[in-house]
Amino acid sequence: DQQVKQNSPSLSVQEGRISILNCDYTNSMFDYFLWYKKYPAEGPTFLISISSIKDKNEDGRFTVFLNKSAKHLSLHIVPSQPGDSAVYFCAASGILLASQFYFGTGTSLTVIP
Amino acid sequence: KAGVTQTPRYLIKTRGQQVTLSCSPISGHRSVSWYQQTPGQGLQFLFEYFSETQRNKGNFPGRFSGRQFSNSRSEMNVSTLELGDSALYLCASSLTVANTGELFFGEGSRLTVL
Protein backbone atom coordinates (compact mmCIF):
# COMPACT_ATOMS: atom_id res chain seq x y z
CA ASP A 1 0.00 0.00 0.00
CA GLN A 2 1.80 3.08 -1.31
CA GLN A 3 0.86 5.89 1.05
CA VAL A 4 3.05 8.42 -0.74
CA LYS A 5 2.83 8.63 -4.51
CA GLN A 6 4.83 10.41 -7.15
CA ASN A 7 2.86 9.82 -10.30
CA SER A 8 5.37 11.30 -12.73
CA PRO A 9 8.37 9.00 -13.14
CA SER A 10 10.22 11.60 -15.18
CA LEU A 11 10.24 15.28 -16.02
CA SER A 12 12.31 17.32 -18.50
CA VAL A 13 12.72 21.08 -18.17
CA GLN A 14 14.77 23.68 -19.98
CA GLU A 15 17.55 25.37 -18.02
CA GLY A 16 16.32 28.58 -16.40
CA ARG A 17 12.67 27.52 -16.34
CA ILE A 18 10.66 26.30 -13.36
CA SER A 19 10.60 22.62 -12.39
CA ILE A 20 7.52 21.44 -10.51
CA LEU A 21 7.60 18.02 -8.90
CA ASN A 22 4.43 16.66 -7.38
CA CYS A 23 3.65 14.27 -4.57
CA ASP A 24 0.35 12.95 -3.21
CA TYR A 25 -0.30 11.16 0.04
CA THR A 26 -3.20 9.24 1.50
CA ASN A 27 -2.64 9.23 5.26
CA SER A 28 -4.16 12.28 6.95
CA MET A 29 -1.96 11.66 9.99
CA PHE A 30 1.19 12.65 8.11
CA ASP A 31 2.41 15.93 9.55
CA TYR A 32 6.00 16.24 8.38
CA PHE A 33 7.25 16.10 4.82
CA LEU A 34 10.71 16.00 3.29
CA TRP A 35 12.18 16.20 -0.20
CA TYR A 36 15.38 14.38 -1.06
CA LYS A 37 17.57 14.51 -4.14
CA LYS A 38 19.53 11.49 -5.30
CA TYR A 39 22.34 11.27 -7.82
CA PRO A 40 23.35 7.87 -9.25
CA ALA A 41 25.71 5.90 -6.99
CA GLU A 42 25.09 8.30 -4.09
CA GLY A 43 22.75 8.27 -1.14
CA PRO A 44 19.77 10.65 -1.02
CA THR A 45 20.55 14.12 0.27
CA PHE A 46 18.08 16.28 2.13
CA LEU A 47 16.69 19.28 0.25
CA ILE A 48 13.86 20.87 2.15
CA SER A 49 11.14 20.05 4.64
CA ILE A 50 7.73 21.33 5.67
CA SER A 51 5.52 20.64 8.65
CA SER A 52 1.77 20.50 8.46
CA ILE A 53 1.38 23.78 10.34
CA LYS A 54 2.75 25.58 7.29
CA ASP A 55 1.67 25.67 3.67
CA LYS A 56 4.91 26.94 2.19
CA ASN A 57 8.61 26.77 2.92
CA GLU A 58 11.39 28.37 0.89
CA ASP A 59 15.11 27.76 0.76
CA GLY A 60 16.90 29.58 -2.01
CA ARG A 61 15.78 28.22 -5.35
CA PHE A 62 13.65 25.53 -3.71
CA THR A 63 10.10 26.03 -2.44
CA VAL A 64 7.79 23.37 -1.11
CA PHE A 65 4.03 23.89 -1.06
CA LEU A 66 1.66 21.82 1.05
CA ASN A 67 -2.07 21.55 0.39
CA LYS A 68 -3.44 19.55 3.30
CA SER A 69 -7.01 19.43 2.08
CA ALA A 70 -5.87 17.91 -1.21
CA LYS A 71 -3.16 15.81 0.49
CA HIS A 72 -0.72 17.16 -2.05
CA LEU A 73 2.69 18.72 -1.93
CA SER A 74 4.90 20.09 -4.63
CA LEU A 75 8.51 21.13 -4.98
CA HIS A 76 9.30 24.13 -7.15
CA ILE A 77 12.83 24.73 -8.40
CA VAL A 78 13.42 28.17 -9.88
CA PRO A 79 15.48 28.66 -11.94
CA SER A 80 16.33 25.10 -12.88
CA GLN A 81 19.99 24.30 -13.48
CA PRO A 82 21.64 21.31 -15.19
CA GLY A 83 23.10 20.27 -11.82
CA ASP A 84 19.55 19.78 -10.57
CA SER A 85 19.22 16.72 -12.82
CA ALA A 86 18.64 13.89 -10.35
CA VAL A 87 15.92 11.71 -8.90
CA TYR A 88 13.72 13.49 -6.37
CA PHE A 89 11.91 11.64 -3.60
CA CYS A 90 9.23 12.99 -1.34
CA ALA A 91 8.80 11.44 2.09
CA ALA A 92 6.23 11.76 4.85
CA SER A 93 5.95 10.89 8.50
CA GLY A 94 3.60 11.44 11.41
CA ILE A 95 4.50 12.07 15.03
CA LEU A 96 1.68 9.74 16.08
CA LEU A 97 2.66 7.08 13.57
CA ALA A 98 5.43 4.50 13.59
CA SER A 99 8.97 5.81 13.55
CA GLN A 100 9.65 5.71 9.83
CA PHE A 101 9.37 7.82 6.74
CA TYR A 102 7.17 6.74 3.85
CA PHE A 103 8.82 7.48 0.54
CA GLY A 104 7.41 7.98 -2.92
CA THR A 105 8.84 6.14 -5.91
CA GLY A 106 10.75 9.18 -7.15
CA THR A 107 10.69 11.53 -10.13
CA SER A 108 13.71 11.72 -12.41
CA LEU A 109 14.32 15.35 -13.35
CA THR A 110 16.38 16.24 -16.39
CA VAL A 111 17.33 19.87 -16.88
CA ILE A 112 18.28 20.50 -20.48
CA PRO A 113 21.03 23.12 -21.03
CA LYS B 1 31.73 15.92 10.84
CA ALA B 2 31.89 12.53 9.14
CA GLY B 3 28.74 11.41 7.38
CA VAL B 4 27.00 8.07 7.45
CA THR B 5 29.36 5.31 6.36
CA GLN B 6 28.18 2.07 4.84
CA THR B 7 30.28 -0.97 4.05
CA PRO B 8 30.71 -2.71 1.75
CA ARG B 9 29.68 -0.45 -1.12
CA TYR B 10 29.24 -3.27 -3.60
CA LEU B 11 28.90 -7.00 -3.20
CA ILE B 12 27.86 -10.00 -5.23
CA LYS B 13 26.36 -13.09 -3.67
CA THR B 14 24.64 -16.21 -4.92
CA ARG B 15 21.19 -17.48 -4.03
CA GLY B 16 21.03 -19.17 -0.66
CA GLN B 17 23.98 -17.30 0.81
CA GLN B 18 23.71 -14.75 3.57
CA VAL B 19 25.04 -11.23 3.78
CA THR B 20 25.82 -8.70 6.49
CA LEU B 21 25.88 -4.97 5.82
CA SER B 22 27.32 -2.41 8.17
CA CYS B 23 26.42 1.20 8.93
CA SER B 24 28.21 3.77 11.06
CA PRO B 25 25.94 6.73 11.82
CA ILE B 26 26.93 10.34 12.25
CA SER B 27 28.57 10.85 15.61
CA GLY B 28 25.94 11.60 18.22
CA HIS B 29 23.05 10.18 16.21
CA ARG B 30 21.22 7.47 18.09
CA SER B 31 18.71 6.37 15.48
CA VAL B 32 19.60 4.20 12.51
CA SER B 33 17.08 3.22 9.84
CA TRP B 34 17.50 0.87 6.93
CA TYR B 35 15.76 1.14 3.56
CA GLN B 36 15.76 -1.01 0.46
CA GLN B 37 15.68 0.71 -2.92
CA THR B 38 14.72 -1.18 -6.05
CA PRO B 39 13.86 0.26 -9.47
CA GLY B 40 10.30 1.55 -9.54
CA GLN B 41 9.70 0.85 -5.85
CA GLY B 42 11.20 3.86 -4.20
CA LEU B 43 12.63 3.39 -0.74
CA GLN B 44 11.01 0.65 1.29
CA PHE B 45 11.45 0.80 5.05
CA LEU B 46 13.17 -2.20 6.62
CA PHE B 47 13.67 -1.31 10.29
CA GLU B 48 14.72 1.38 12.75
CA TYR B 49 16.94 1.07 15.77
CA PHE B 50 17.22 3.58 18.56
CA SER B 51 19.53 3.08 21.51
CA GLU B 52 20.05 -0.58 20.59
CA THR B 53 16.31 -1.32 20.47
CA GLN B 54 14.37 -2.10 17.33
CA ARG B 55 11.53 0.42 17.40
CA ASN B 56 9.88 -0.40 14.13
CA LYS B 57 10.01 -3.03 11.42
CA GLY B 58 8.76 -2.85 7.87
CA ASN B 59 6.91 -5.45 5.88
CA PHE B 60 9.82 -7.72 5.03
CA PRO B 61 10.24 -11.45 5.73
CA GLY B 62 12.10 -12.72 8.74
CA ARG B 63 15.18 -13.36 6.57
CA PHE B 64 15.90 -9.66 7.05
CA SER B 65 17.23 -8.81 10.48
CA GLY B 66 19.34 -6.18 12.11
CA ARG B 67 20.89 -4.97 15.28
CA GLN B 68 22.44 -1.91 16.79
CA PHE B 69 25.45 -1.77 19.04
CA SER B 70 26.12 0.44 22.05
CA ASN B 71 28.15 2.83 19.88
CA SER B 72 25.09 3.23 17.59
CA ARG B 73 26.70 1.33 14.73
CA SER B 74 24.23 -0.98 13.05
CA GLU B 75 24.29 -4.11 10.97
CA MET B 76 21.64 -5.73 8.86
CA ASN B 77 21.66 -9.33 7.79
CA VAL B 78 19.84 -11.08 5.00
CA SER B 79 19.83 -14.87 5.12
CA THR B 80 18.99 -17.35 2.36
CA LEU B 81 19.36 -14.74 -0.35
CA GLU B 82 16.90 -14.66 -3.22
CA LEU B 83 17.28 -13.02 -6.63
CA GLY B 84 14.70 -10.41 -5.62
CA ASP B 85 16.94 -9.23 -2.79
CA SER B 86 19.17 -7.52 -5.35
CA ALA B 87 18.87 -3.86 -4.43
CA LEU B 88 20.54 -0.81 -3.01
CA TYR B 89 20.42 -0.94 0.78
CA LEU B 90 20.49 2.47 2.37
CA CYS B 91 21.21 3.31 5.95
CA ALA B 92 20.11 6.62 7.46
CA SER B 93 20.85 8.14 10.82
CA SER B 94 19.06 10.83 12.75
CA LEU B 95 19.58 12.63 16.01
CA THR B 96 16.26 11.61 17.49
CA VAL B 97 13.67 9.02 16.61
CA ALA B 98 13.36 8.55 12.91
CA ASN B 99 10.05 10.25 12.15
CA THR B 100 10.68 13.59 13.79
CA GLY B 101 13.66 15.00 11.96
CA GLU B 102 15.84 14.88 8.93
CA LEU B 103 17.38 11.57 7.91
CA PHE B 104 21.00 11.57 6.82
CA PHE B 105 21.72 8.81 4.33
CA GLY B 106 24.85 6.89 3.54
CA GLU B 107 25.86 6.08 -0.02
CA GLY B 108 24.37 2.62 0.20
CA SER B 109 25.46 -0.95 -0.27
CA ARG B 110 24.57 -2.35 -3.67
CA LEU B 111 23.82 -6.05 -3.40
CA THR B 112 23.61 -8.25 -6.47
CA VAL B 113 22.30 -11.78 -6.03
CA LEU B 114 23.12 -14.23 -8.82
Side-chain angles (χ1 to χ4, degrees):
Chain A
D1 177 29
Q2 193 75 25
Q3 299 190 50
V4 177
K5 298 176 185 176
Q6 294 177 259
N7 293 317
S8 298
S10 63
L11 175 68
S12 290
V13 170
Q14 290 286 338
E15 181 179 3
R17 306 294 289 268
I18 184 171
S19 294
I20 300 176
L21 296 97
N22 294 305
C23 181
D24 297 294
Y25 61 95
T26 58
N27 194 331
S28 58
M29 296 190 70
F30 287 149
D31 54 24
Y32 187 55
F33 304 88
L34 307 176
W35 282 95
Y36 280 85
K37 176 168 74 173
K38 186 180 185 300
Y39 294 117
E42 294 184 13
T45 54
F46 170 76
L47 264 181
I48 192 167
S49 66
I50 189 166
S51 78
S52 59
I53 62 172
K54 294 179 145 186
D55 53 20
K56 177 182 172 182
N57 189 27
E58 278 182 86
D59 184 2
R61 296 186 298 115
F62 302 92
T63 303
V64 56
F65 295 92
L66 175 61
N67 182 333
K68 289 184 288 294
S69 60
K71 293 191 180 69
H72 177 83
L73 66 155
S74 60
L75 174 69
H76 292 209
I77 307 173
V78 184
S80 301
Q81 299 173 353
D84 296 330
S85 297
V87 177
Y88 290 78
F89 292 96
C90 66
S93 72
I95 190 69
L96 296 178
L97 299 176
S99 57
Q100 69 178 86
F101 276 93
Y102 297 82
F103 281 81
T105 51
T107 297
S108 178
L109 173 66
T110 302
V111 180
I112 303 163
Chain B
K1 193 163 165 181
V4 177
T5 304
Q6 291 187 246
T7 57
R9 290 290 313 278
Y10 302 92
L11 64 166
I12 300 173
K13 294 284 188 177
T14 56
R15 279 180 297 174
Q17 287 188 309
Q18 67 102 26
V19 66
T20 299
L21 309 177
S22 179
C23 173
S24 293
I26 291 172
S27 177
H29 285 195
R30 296 168 64 190
S31 168
V32 173
S33 302
W34 289 88
Y35 288 83
Q36 180 196 65
Q37 186 191 6
T38 52
Q41 291 295 314
L43 278 70
Q44 302 292 314
F45 173 76
L46 281 156
F47 22 67
E48 188 225 358
Y49 289 88
F50 185 84
S51 294
E52 301 179 67
T53 301
Q54 185 182 89
R55 296 187 72 246
N56 190 19
K57 190 177 195 302
N59 189 25
F60 278 82
R63 300 184 296 106
F64 291 80
S65 63
R67 58 179 175 167
Q68 187 181 33
F69 302 95
S70 58
N71 62 357
S72 292
R73 191 178 70 84
S74 177
E75 289 181 349
M76 68 163 281
N77 183 277
V78 188
S79 61
T80 320
L81 283 165
E82 300 177 359
L83 295 179
D85 297 333
S86 295
L88 179 67
Y89 290 88
L90 291 161
C91 167
S93 75
S94 60
L95 199 55
T96 60
V97 295
N99 58 337
T100 60
E102 178 188 341
L103 298 178
F104 294 82
F105 283 90
E107 294 185 311
S109 294
R110 180 158 303 276
L111 170 65
T112 301
V113 182
L114 302 176

